[in-house]
Amino acid sequence: MNFIYVNMQAKHLDEVAELDRQCFTLFWSRNLFESELNNPNAYYIVAQCEDKTVGYCGIQTVAGEGSITNVAVLPEYRNRGIASALLERIISYGKEKNLDFITLEVRESNINAIKIYEKFGFERVGTRKNYYSDNKETAILMTKQL
Ligand SMILES: CC(C)(COP(=O)(O)OP(=O)(O)OC[C@H]1O[C@@H](n2cnc3c(N)ncnc32)[C@H](O)[C@@H]1OP(=O)(O)O)[C@@H](O)C(=O)NCCC(=O)NCCS
């Protein structure tokens, strides 16, 4: 299977919103993704397989700092390196933009995601208690210096 990685565009919004709904309990609306397309401080990449959107990753940048909003891959396309490829590109983007560091929050139970982030050099720097509104789960705050 071949995957390609392209900047998110308006034509991807329906599929990205559906993908998010499948991947998260607290998912984003299509409108939210659309507003990210119009946000000059946001950058999103999608992974495509034969014209189908199978994953995405986004980052928001403010004053030299990046914050990964999310990374998600459709269940049937996982464990093929798609999230890794997306993160690699988002980190390269951060370097091109001369960001000092990139942060993210991840549920403390999300061991798979934490492992990926650690693989890319993100380090645990703190926690945010009661961060997720659905089950009051703690978020692990991770940072990667660029
Ligand atoms: C987390 C997620 C994005 C990973 O996507 P993916 O495309 O399957 O990830 P990759 O194939 O790039 O895997 C990369 C690494 O993840 C880890 N990993 C992935 N799946 C794993 C599994 N089932 N068990 C253990 N480790 C796993 C491994 O460390 C792997 O590294 P390796 O390739 O060196 O072995 C995907 O599972 C997902 O969409 N989950 C739901 C949404 C989510 O939780 N997003 C993160 C929010 S912070």
Side-chain angles (χ1 to χ4, degrees), residues 23-24 70-74 77-85 105-107 110 112-113 115-117 119:
C23 292
F24 295 106
N70 254 332
V71 53
V73 173
L74 282 176
Y77 290 89
R78 289 180 189 164
N79 299 317
R80 293 182 167 100
I82 296 174
S84 299
E105 284 101 16
V106 55
R107 287 179 193 260
N110 199 346
N112 288 347
K115 263 167 91 178
I116 301 179
Y117 297 140
K119 186 173 90 176

